[in-house]
Amino acid sequence: MKNDIAVIMSVYKNDKLEHLQEAIESLHLVDIFVYCDGKVPNDIKEYLDTLFEHQQIAYLSKSDTNQGLAYALNTLIQQALLQGYRYIARMDSDDISTNERFKLQYEFLQQHPNIDIVGGYIEEFSNDFEYNKIVQYPLTHDKMFEFFKKRVPLAHVSVMYRDSYFQKAGLYPTTSLTNEDTLMWMEGFKNGCLFANIPKVLVKVRIGRDFFGRRGGIQKAWSDFRDRFMVIRVLGYNYTSYIYAVLVFLVNISPKWIKKILYKNLR
């Protein structure tokens, strides 16, 4: 029997089977929608095919070429909406949802029919080195909008959308190199969506050895800088937001060891 909640997940060539298995096994009382974004390892392909064959995955789509995360998520969202799902939740293919995540988010949206999207705290962990950190976010719409002057107010991997979000704001913008979530929140705030977070850890986020290195590079830093300027301009934030964006850009092009210290201590 179809659930009210569809969880959308994109899988690509660098994913590991054991991490994907942990991610999928953490999903309870939901229907799972998976998009293979380009060719994936054979063990992952066989695993997903088996799950789909045994109806443990509700929807499985594959592309021979990598289309990017925004395209993959939009494909899954459109399919879930077409099938009449009221709630659509995000999940990365190497993270772990807590046992109470979907129950908490479903009940919150049921109790707050004006809210279009709800996220929560995340707990970052690593199998590669000693690291553990709980990342918290503001809870109310107004505080989240204020927070968005400087940083994203939601953990993308933790969110659950009500179908009304897409009716108001549309699908993920595909114009950004890496910040489809940032632009998605911008469209939501611009178009009257109401935001919230739950003060609970909802997702355990896996941090790889290359995590801090991947957060750098001039191309990504410039993409982040450009997208942040767009958010500031579209949502009408003040000049101090531009100053902060410049400082973040300088951090993003700094050596990895500096980014690692700042990321651990200032988030």
Side-chain angles (χ1 to χ4, degrees):
M1 186 172 76
K2 186 169 80 69
N3 293 300
D4 284 338
I5 306 168
V7 173
I8 56 174
M9 176 188 296
S10 178
V11 178
Y12 79 124
K13 65 180 181 180
N14 290 341
D15 285 327
K16 296 181 179 179
L17 177 60
E18 60 268 30
H19 295 168
L20 177 61
Q21 288 174 320
E22 281 189 85
I24 288 182
E25 288 168 5
S26 74
L27 304 178
H28 306 292
L29 303 176
V30 297
D31 289 340
I32 306 169
F33 283 47
V34 177
Y35 185 93
C36 292
D37 192 14
K39 293 182 179 180
V40 299
N42 285 333
D43 56 354
I44 287 180
K45 179 182 179 298
E46 292 170 3
Y47 172 68
L48 292 174
D49 285 342
T50 299
L51 291 182
F52 185 64
E53 181 182 345
H54 290 85
Q55 298 183 335
Q56 293 171 282
I57 288 179
Y59 179 80
L60 178 61
S61 180
K62 301 175 183 176
S63 171
D64 288 336
T65 57
N66 182 273
Q67 302 285 347
L69 182 58
Y71 181 92
L73 296 181
N74 287 341
T75 300
L76 297 176
I77 290 167
Q78 289 173 314
Q79 184 63 36
L81 292 175
L82 188 64
Q83 294 189 27
Y85 287 88
R86 296 180 59 203
Y87 306 113
I88 299 176
R90 270 281 289 121
M91 182 69 182
D92 271 354
S93 54
D94 59 352
D95 296 336
I96 301 169
S97 285
T98 62
N99 290 334
E100 61 180 359
R101 174 191 172 180
F102 300 109
K103 179 177 182 292
L104 288 173
Q105 290 182 296
Y106 178 82
E107 290 178 350
F108 183 92
L109 290 175
Q110 289 285 93
Q111 294 164 10
H112 301 84
N114 61 321
I115 298 297
D116 299 292
I117 182 171
V118 60
Y121 299 166
I122 60 173
E123 180 181 349
E124 297 176 337
F125 74 98
S126 178
N127 298 129
D128 299 328
F129 56 94
E130 187 175 344
Y131 180 76
N132 187 271
K133 182 178 181 65
I134 292 177
V135 182
Q136 301 182 358
Y137 295 87
L139 304 181
T140 64
H141 179 87
D142 289 344
K143 289 183 178 179
M144 293 169 76
F145 182 77
E146 183 71 15
F147 192 80
F148 200 26
K149 286 181 178 180
K150 296 181 178 180
R151 290 163 45 196
V152 292
L154 292 147
H156 190 200
V157 297
S158 77
V159 302
M160 181 183 288
Y161 297 96
R162 193 190 301 275
D163 57 3
S164 58
Y165 192 99
F166 308 108
Q167 295 165 11
K168 296 177 182 178
L171 300 174
Y172 283 90
T174 57
T175 55
S176 175
L177 177 68
T178 56
N179 298 308
E180 59 283 320
D181 56 334
T182 298
L183 300 189
M184 188 63 154
W185 313 151
M186 180 189 74
E187 291 296 328
F189 281 116
K190 184 178 75 173
N191 290 286
C193 295
L194 292 181
F195 290 68
N197 279 310
I198 295 172
K200 294 271 190 179
V201 171
L202 300 183
V203 181
K204 297 180 180 180
V205 177
R206 193 184 307 272
I207 302 298
R209 191 174 296 279
D210 64 340
F211 178 72
F212 299 102
R214 286 191 291 108
R215 302 187 75 84
I218 189 65
Q219 188 179 21
K220 184 181 186 311
W222 177 250
S223 175
D224 292 350
F225 185 63
R226 181 196 62 198
D227 293 337
R228 172 51 53 184
F229 261 53
M230 185 188 305
V231 168
I232 295 168
R233 185 181 71 253
V234 168
L235 298 182
Y237 291 127
N238 61 26
Y239 73 93
T240 59
S241 302
Y242 288 102
I243 295 172
Y244 189 86
V246 171
L247 293 176
V248 170
F249 174 76
L250 295 175
V251 170
N252 284 341
I253 61 175
S254 65
K256 182 171 72 172
W257 66 270
I258 293 178
K259 288 197 294 288
K260 189 172 183 179
I261 293 172
L262 293 173
Y263 186 83
K264 282 185 175 182
N265 293 290
L266 296 182
R267 289 183 75 210

